């Protein structure tokens, strides 16, 4: 028997209580039974997003939320600034270009975070920039871009929307939608909110709604103004992902019971323990600065292929982590501590890494990293 452990940056494990909630019989999405379900999800998402704005519930993966953002708030030929520091930054560029936007990129070396001053300089020079697009966590590199600092720059420009892909950061990072003035923020169900894949969340500020009135790009499935009107009636435009929304209420209940600050602290603790533990066995963290609290990207030791580490973790020990993407393929592997993740997930991951590396001939004293993680996690208990 090979017991499975899911430690990837999405999909993430779904708690039993959420799975059980989703086993309930399907109810009709236009029936009165569904009204309190969606009403509660709507309010719960506003709590999680720390916002009074609408948070749309879209039946798609996270990328659908990204696509809808581009075709609902922008126009062909709009000049936009994309922060491209990895695979998902590149995705913003690809989506914007697919809709005919005029993209200017700030290319950030993989493993680094964007400098807010660079964004400020661009916005100062070019008053035509209609939007700044960024990831909170760039999942491919494990870097967190400083959303608070970036928001404080963009909010000075009344004609520029600040758009954040928080698909892999939501729940792990404290992202204050209203306080910081984030205009559009996208989340995805299969990440921090501990659900199966299938819904995207999109928060929309008044500034962004005003822009939506002028957007002429074609819209059919992703029509956010229609979604907003439906949400006001506790409906979605098309058939609602009923089961996932029922599950969402359960996962939001769990997060509320833990408390937002504790949720963020848990993620910070797990991320810190992961980093220190792998460093204790001589491995390097891939991010040169600003490591994310959702996922840790770890460099494979010289001469050892990162994809093989990832493959051995899965095949020998049942641990599904993630490999590297694109130019980081073979150089790194990634361990997530996102959503339904606790101390023993980290200990399992570190123990697995040690065993895989030893099996591949890397000089590691078994238990070295595990002990460091245990010490740090226990120290946190005393606080
Ligand atoms: C930062 C980020 N953006 C976008 C996506 C794409 O989300 P989805 O696969 O749900 O479309 C992911 C998923 O890994 C992600 O981590």
């Amino acid at each position: 028997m090979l017991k499975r452990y899911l430690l990837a940056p999405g999909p993430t494990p779904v708690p039993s209580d959420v799975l059980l909630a989703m086993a309930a019989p399907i109810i009709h999405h236009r029936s009165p039974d569904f009204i309190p379900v969606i009403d509660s999800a709507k309010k719960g998402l506003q709590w999680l997003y720390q916002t009074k704005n609408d948070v749309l519930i879209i039946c798609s993966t996270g990328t659908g939320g990204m696509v809808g953002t581009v075709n609902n708030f922008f126009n062909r030929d709009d000049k936009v600034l994309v922060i491209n520091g990895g695979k998902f930054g590149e995705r913003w560029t690809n989506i914007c270009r697919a809709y005919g936007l005029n993209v200017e990129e700030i290319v950030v070396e993989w493993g680094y975070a964007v400098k807010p001053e660079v964004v400020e300089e661009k916005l100062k020079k070019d008053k035509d920039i209609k939007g700044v697009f960024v990831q909170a966590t760039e999942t491919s590199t494990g870097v967190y871009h400083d959303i608070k600092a970036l928001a404080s720059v963009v909010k000075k420009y009344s004609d520029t929307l600040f758009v954040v892909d928080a698909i892999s950061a939501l729940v792990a990072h404290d992202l204050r939608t209203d306080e910081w003035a984030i205009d559009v923020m996208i989340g995805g169900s299969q990440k921090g909110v501990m659900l199966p894949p299938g819904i995207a969340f999109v928060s929309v500020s008044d500034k962004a709604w005003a822009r939506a009135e002028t957007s002429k790009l074609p819209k059919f499935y992703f029509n956010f103004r229609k979604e907003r009107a439906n949400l006001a009636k506790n409906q979605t435009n098309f058939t609602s992902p009923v089961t996932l929304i029922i599950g969402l209420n359960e996962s939001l209940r769990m997060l509320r019971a833990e408390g937002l600050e504790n949720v963020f602290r848990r993620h910070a603790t797990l991320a810190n323990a992961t980093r220190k533990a792998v460093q204790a066995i001589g491995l390097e963290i891939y991010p040169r600065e600003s490591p994310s609290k959702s996922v840790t990207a770890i460099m494979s030791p010289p001469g050892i292929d990162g994809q093989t580490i990832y493959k051995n973790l899965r095949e020998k020990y049942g641990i599904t982590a993630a490999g590297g993407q694109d130019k980081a393929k073979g150089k790194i592997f990634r361990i997530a501590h996102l959503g339904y993740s606790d101390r023993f997930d980290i200990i399992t991951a570190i123990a697995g890494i040690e065993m895989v590396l030893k099996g591949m001939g890397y000089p590691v004293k078994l238990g070295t990293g595990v002990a460091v993680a245990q010490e740090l996690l226990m120290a946190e208990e005393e606080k």
Side-chain angles (χ1 to χ4, degrees):
M1 186 191 95
L2 190 64
K3 188 166 172 181
R4 296 285 188 177
Y5 304 89
L6 184 55
L7 296 168
T12 64
V14 179
S16 314
D17 285 352
V18 175
L19 291 170
L20 275 173
M22 292 193 303
I26 295 290
I27 50 177
H28 197 277
H29 61 291
R30 305 283 181 216
S31 73
D33 297 345
F34 194 54
I35 297 215
V37 175
I38 196 160
D39 190 54
S40 158
K42 187 165 87 174
K43 291 180 179 137
L45 284 171
Q46 286 177 317
W47 167 80
L48 179 63
Y49 267 73
Q50 308 184 59
T51 186
K52 291 194 174 61
N53 295 339
D54 302 294
V55 184
L56 306 177
I57 300 172
I58 310 290
C59 186
S60 74
T61 70
T63 305
M66 297 170 78
V67 169
T69 297
V70 172
N71 80 327
N72 278 271
F73 303 114
F74 294 90
N75 276 302
R76 181 169 289 279
D77 297 326
D78 273 357
K79 192 182 269 185
V80 293
L81 194 59
V82 169
I83 292 153
N84 178 353
K87 277 315 273 180
F88 294 102
E90 190 182 299
R91 185 166 302 181
W92 271 137
T93 295
N94 292 339
I95 298 169
C96 289
R97 290 201 172 132
Y99 282 90
L101 277 60
N102 174 5
V103 176
E104 190 168 325
E105 284 191 328
I106 295 180
V107 176
V108 180
E109 193 180 337
W110 283 38
Y112 289 82
V114 68
K115 304 259 172 299
E117 313 84 81
V118 176
V119 176
E120 175 128 54
E121 222 170 87
K122 291 263 186 206
L123 291 176
K124 252 190 213 158
K125 265 198 217 137
D126 194 342
K127 298 282 186 283
D128 281 346
I129 293 173
K130 300 285 186 211
V132 173
F133 292 76
V134 70
Q135 272 57 46
T137 287
E138 172 49 77
T139 322
S140 62
T141 62
V143 166
Y144 176 76
H145 292 296
D146 187 346
I147 299 303
K148 183 181 181 188
L150 292 167
S152 76
V153 168
V154 182
K155 80 172 177 197
K156 291 184 230 158
Y157 297 83
S158 60
D159 225 16
T160 311
L161 298 182
F162 185 45
V163 178
V164 178
D165 163 4
I167 292 170
S168 64
L170 192 67
V171 175
H173 285 268
D174 186 1
L175 294 163
R176 303 187 182 181
T177 309
D178 289 0
E179 192 185 320
W180 298 350
I182 300 170
D183 293 305
V184 182
M185 186 159 81
I186 300 128
S189 55
Q190 79 278 24
K191 309 272 181 176
V193 294
M194 315 182 283
L195 290 176
I199 30 185
F201 316 111
V202 186
S203 71
V204 184
S205 71
D206 290 341
K207 185 173 162 186
W209 282 127
R211 178 71 72 72
E213 317 238 335
T214 65
S215 166
K216 294 190 177 53
L217 282 168
K219 302 161 186 64
F220 190 84
Y221 188 75
F222 298 121
N223 186 326
F224 286 0
R225 288 167 79 198
K226 282 195 178 168
E227 289 296 350
R228 179 194 209 189
N230 274 282
L231 198 62
K233 298 182 288 180
N234 290 315
Q235 307 251 304
T236 55
N237 199 12
F238 304 107
T239 305
S240 308
V242 172
T243 303
L244 289 170
I245 297 176
I246 291 172
L248 175 61
N249 279 333
E250 182 56 25
S251 68
L252 288 166
R253 188 199 60 72
M254 290 175 68
L255 292 170
R256 274 189 200 257
E258 187 177 357
L260 213 41
E261 264 186 41
N262 292 331
V263 169
F264 299 141
R265 191 173 312 128
R266 170 165 56 86
H267 284 86
T269 301
L270 298 179
N272 181 52
T274 305
R275 291 193 296 267
K276 298 279 167 42
V278 295
Q279 284 165 341
I281 53 175
L283 303 184
E284 257 188 83
I285 298 301
Y286 185 63
R288 301 290 95 185
E289 56 191 10
S290 190
S292 162
K293 296 185 180 114
S294 338
V295 57
T296 297
I298 303 159
M299 295 188 60
S300 51
I304 295 187
D305 177 41
Q307 292 302 105
T308 314
I309 298 176
Y310 151 71
K311 190 164 161 264
N312 286 350
L313 278 169
R314 194 184 60 225
E315 290 179 0
K316 288 181 84 167
Y317 300 117
I319 299 170
T320 303
Q325 294 172 282
D326 203 335
K327 66 177 97 161
K329 198 165 190 162
K331 290 193 197 146
I332 66 169
F333 60 101
R334 294 169 297 152
I335 300 288
H337 20 75
L338 177 60
Y340 192 47
S341 181
D342 190 17
R343 292 161 293 187
F344 287 95
D345 293 302
I346 297 313
I347 289 170
T348 300
I350 304 300
I353 292 167
E354 290 182 347
M355 289 159 82
V356 161
L357 287 175
K358 189 178 166 84
M360 292 174 81
Y362 176 79
V364 56
K365 186 168 177 302
L366 292 179
T368 309
V370 170
V372 167
Q374 286 171 316
E375 293 287 354
L376 287 167
L377 294 169
M378 284 189 77
E380 199 60 28
E381 283 167 22
E382 274 135 43
K383 283 190 191 158

